[in-house]
Amino acid sequence: MPPLIIDLVQIERLGTKKLAENERFRKHLKRHNFSDLRFRRVAEEIEGKIDCRACANCCKVAETDITKRDAARISRSMGMSEKEFVSQYTTASTFDDELILRRTENGCIFLNGNDCTIYEDRPDTCRNFPHLVRGSGSIESRMWQMIDRATYCPIVYNSLEEYKDIMGFQRTPANR
């Protein structure tokens, strides 16, 4: 495995540069057999080498979906009613009828520096992020989300690059 790229400026630049290539790779996976378990092991290895809590870039740039179960758990830990929690800390998503956590100019409303102030009770989507090792469905079914995440998450960016190597995927010459 080549050295990991963890610099967030580089991740954003390279991930953005490779958007079209990553889309081609996602389509490539649909047409070829691959080992979900092997991909999962690669992601586990990369996750083990990158400290998410030191990065916290996902908390700074991504929206966080909140389920009813998340709202109940978080509100209970904060000592407030679920209705109060929803009113004070969530807003409607612009994409669907779901709730998302409110954001500040620094990202998630519960982000303090790079620390999550509700870490032990954080939403399930945060617990499973970046959804390579944990999440519903196969890695292939979650791959459409990875293209965007490769522009801000070092784990996703490096995992996708390793997946391409495993699959012998023909990269865009300018992106090598």
Side-chain angles (χ1 to χ4, degrees):
M1 186 178 297
L4 298 179
I5 298 172
I6 59 171
D7 176 73
L8 295 177
V9 172
Q10 211 175 1
I11 293 291
E12 181 179 16
R13 184 180 59 77
L14 291 170
T16 301
K17 180 180 176 186
K18 294 181 181 189
L19 283 170
E21 177 179 293
N22 288 339
E23 177 62 30
R24 278 191 318 105
F25 180 62
R26 185 183 71 80
K27 291 175 182 173
H28 177 84
L29 286 180
K30 288 182 173 261
R31 295 187 310 267
H32 295 84
N33 291 328
F34 65 93
S35 170
D36 202 58
L37 181 60
R38 187 166 180 204
F39 279 13
R40 189 177 318 256
R41 286 191 178 135
V42 165
E44 285 172 342
E45 182 180 343
I46 291 171
E47 276 189 27
K49 293 177 179 177
I50 296 176
D51 181 2
C52 285
R53 290 179 79 176
C55 174
N57 205 37
C58 53
C59 306
K60 296 170 187 169
V61 300
E63 289 185 346
T64 305
D65 296 329
I66 296 293
T67 65
K68 183 113 173 102
R69 195 170 93 182
D70 292 329
R73 181 178 61 248
I74 297 166
S75 63
R76 191 173 42 254
S77 74
M78 294 177 76
M80 61 176 37
S81 73
E82 192 174 325
K83 187 176 180 179
E84 288 173 310
F85 170 78
V86 168
S87 172
Q88 292 179 36
Y89 295 101
T90 70
T91 188
S93 172
T94 56
F95 299 111
D96 50 35
D97 293 333
E98 300 294 317
L99 291 177
I100 58 171
L101 287 179
R102 289 185 189 271
R103 302 186 58 74
T104 69
E105 63 277 355
N106 298 319
C108 175
I109 194 166
F110 292 111
L111 187 64
N112 181 8
N114 280 355
D115 291 323
C116 175
T117 60
I118 60 166
Y119 188 79
E120 293 304 317
D121 298 301
R122 68 195 182 278
D124 288 339
T125 193
C126 299
R127 290 177 191 277
N128 293 333
F129 197 85
H131 305 276
L132 292 172
V133 176
R134 292 167 300 285
S136 58
S138 66
I139 287 178
E140 179 185 358
S141 69
R142 297 186 306 261
M143 191 58 68
W144 67 272
Q145 300 165 324
M146 300 308 147
I147 296 166
D148 177 56
R149 290 182 185 151
T151 65
Y152 63 85
C153 177
I155 294 170
V156 174
Y157 176 83
N158 287 286
S159 293
L160 281 180
E161 292 305 300
E162 185 64 21
Y163 295 168
K164 291 173 193 174
D165 288 345
I166 289 169
M167 295 294 294
F169 178 74
Q170 185 67 42
R171 288 180 165 86
T172 306
N175 288 343
R176 291 181 187 212

